[in-house]
Amino acid sequence: MLSGNLRRRLHHGDLDGRRNEHVDTSGTDGLNEPLLGTYSYDERHTKEYGDKRQQDIWDDKKKEQLHWAQLFCNLVAQWGQWLANIFHNSGSILGRMLPPIIFSGQDNLPLLLSPLQEERLRNLKQRLGIPFDSACVDHQDALRQLWRLAYPGRQVPPLKSELWKEMGWQGSDPSTDFRGGGFVSLENLIFFAKTYPDSFQGLLHKRDGRRAEWEYPFAVAGINISFMLVQMLELELGRPSSKAGICFIKLLGEDEMAFDNLYCVAFQMMDAQWLAKRASYMEFNEVLKATRTQLERELSLDDVFSIRDLPAYNMLTR
């Protein structure tokens, strides 16, 4: 059992600190795969060495072919970028008609953005750049709106009140929990409550499944999910290089609110992961990583043309 002081310290500090970490699923936490078996140095060594040498020769040839293919692709991409820059900078009619180009980091091939995608991506990045300002009347009103959506019929408490902890804020002042999340994370929560009220209320009140004794705080978890999505989709960069980021830009052309809808899917998916893993508070970061991995996998499916095509979208209820 944790001591009272330690439990309180972890409760108030751990998740808040983790929220500001860069969420990265590319690394490994210890050994998560079986160790390879060990083999003795016996009579098989001579044959294995010969086979390995032959394989090395074939590998060298493949590497050389891939090298020249990569050089060719880079040359074509650079010429395409050069021509596009000429047309755009010339101010000609043809230049204005050409869509902007984003190069994917995986194969360095150009991804053309339609004017609609370009506009929506620009608007989304503007939203992401707005920090939460506790002195801003609009931001204060947004917090009050979230309370009314979460608890219909209940009186809205002062902006600093112990009642806010019921929603899953870590202290009596919700504004202190927005570090790293920005105002968009509050917009995400409001969108979730308005668009999918049944799912929102189910997660807020932890209605489904066998819950842990030490549950994740709802509101702070929501801020973490917003931050995770920004990182996963590489929206803080000038251009996406991940497959998930490139797929999202395509979805943005179909749905102006693709980010907000994806947020709702991610929140519902995170809770499903939480229940499946029978997780507790200290395992929240691991659950968030698993959620990111699953979401990246679903975004990469060939038959996904909108957020509603994601398999996990079916978990949401209105």
Side-chain angles (χ1 to χ4, degrees):
M1 296 294 292
L2 295 173
S3 68
N5 290 336
L6 178 57
R7 186 182 182 94
R8 285 193 295 273
R9 181 172 61 84
L10 290 173
H11 178 72
H12 290 292
D14 181 75
L15 187 58
D16 185 60
R18 289 183 176 185
R19 183 183 63 253
N20 295 298
E21 288 181 354
H22 172 69
V23 180
D24 184 9
T25 60
S26 62
T28 57
D29 296 326
L31 293 173
N32 55 12
E33 294 181 352
L35 292 174
L36 296 177
T38 56
Y39 298 94
S40 61
Y41 186 95
D42 56 16
E43 64 274 11
R44 294 175 297 173
H45 175 72
T46 302
K47 182 179 181 300
E48 290 172 356
Y49 178 80
D51 293 341
K52 183 176 184 300
R53 177 58 183 164
Q54 184 65 29
Q55 184 63 42
D56 289 342
I57 294 173
W58 283 108
D59 288 345
D60 290 341
K61 290 182 179 180
K62 290 180 181 179
K63 288 179 181 178
E64 183 178 358
Q65 293 172 352
L66 289 173
H67 173 72
W68 286 108
Q70 182 67 34
L71 288 178
F72 178 74
C73 289
N74 289 344
L75 181 61
V76 172
Q78 290 172 6
W79 274 95
Q81 180 70 76
W82 179 70
L83 289 173
N85 288 339
I86 290 178
F87 284 121
H88 280 291
N89 294 333
S90 67
S92 64
I93 296 177
L94 180 59
R96 290 192 294 270
M97 292 174 60
L98 284 175
I101 296 178
I102 288 181
F103 286 85
S104 66
Q106 293 179 333
D107 51 16
N108 207 30
L109 296 179
L111 170 68
L112 300 180
L113 267 68
S114 69
L116 181 61
Q117 289 173 323
E118 180 189 10
E119 179 184 2
R120 289 179 175 178
L121 182 59
R122 182 173 59 249
N123 292 340
L124 177 56
K125 287 188 175 183
Q126 289 176 351
R127 289 177 60 195
L128 298 179
I130 301 175
F132 181 84
D133 183 359
S134 60
C136 176
V137 175
D138 289 341
H139 293 193
Q140 294 173 359
D141 289 342
L143 262 180
R144 297 187 182 99
Q145 181 185 12
L146 178 62
W147 179 275
R148 285 191 290 267
L149 291 168
Y151 306 107
R154 289 183 59 181
Q155 184 177 358
V156 180
L159 294 178
K160 292 184 180 181
S161 169
E162 293 294 314
L163 292 175
W164 288 99
K165 293 181 181 180
E166 295 182 23
M167 194 186 293
W169 302 100
Q170 294 193 108
S172 60
D173 183 2
S175 66
T176 61
D177 283 327
F178 283 99
R179 297 185 300 274
F183 183 62
V184 71
S185 56
L186 178 55
E187 291 181 317
N188 290 155
L189 283 167
I190 292 173
F191 179 88
F192 193 9
K194 293 173 66 176
T195 310
Y196 307 99
D198 287 348
S199 289
F200 178 89
Q201 291 292 332
L203 298 184
L204 171 64
H205 298 290
K206 307 292 194 303
R207 290 173 178 168
D208 297 331
R210 183 177 178 181
R211 314 307 305 198
E213 181 180 353
W214 200 1
E215 278 287 317
Y216 65 85
F218 175 80
V220 175
I223 294 178
N224 275 265
I225 292 172
S226 296
F227 184 75
M228 180 270 288
L229 286 179
V230 172
Q231 296 292 309
M232 183 188 78
L233 302 175
E234 298 181 326
L235 295 174
E236 80 283 4
L237 302 179
R239 64 187 188 188
S241 61
S242 66
K243 189 171 184 179
I246 294 170
C247 290
F248 172 75
I249 290 179
K250 295 176 182 178
L251 300 182
L252 197 58
E254 300 296 325
D255 179 11
E256 185 176 7
M257 305 305 293
F259 183 80
D260 300 80
N261 277 307
L262 187 61
Y263 169 88
C264 300
V265 173
F267 210 141
Q268 188 74 59
M269 183 186 291
M270 185 278 295
D271 190 75
Q273 289 275 355
W274 178 272
L275 293 175
K277 294 178 180 295
R278 297 183 178 180
S280 187
Y281 182 92
M282 299 299 291
E283 299 167 287
F284 177 82
N285 202 40
E286 296 304 314
V287 172
L288 196 62
K289 287 181 180 180
T291 302
R292 172 173 172 164
T293 299
Q294 183 181 351
L295 201 56
E296 288 173 330
R297 187 182 302 117
E298 293 198 6
L299 283 170
S300 66
L301 296 175
D302 293 334
D303 56 349
V304 172
F305 304 102
S306 70
I307 299 298
R308 288 170 175 79
D309 293 330
L310 294 172
Y313 180 83
N314 295 322
M315 293 191 295
L316 289 171
T317 56
R318 295 178 183 272

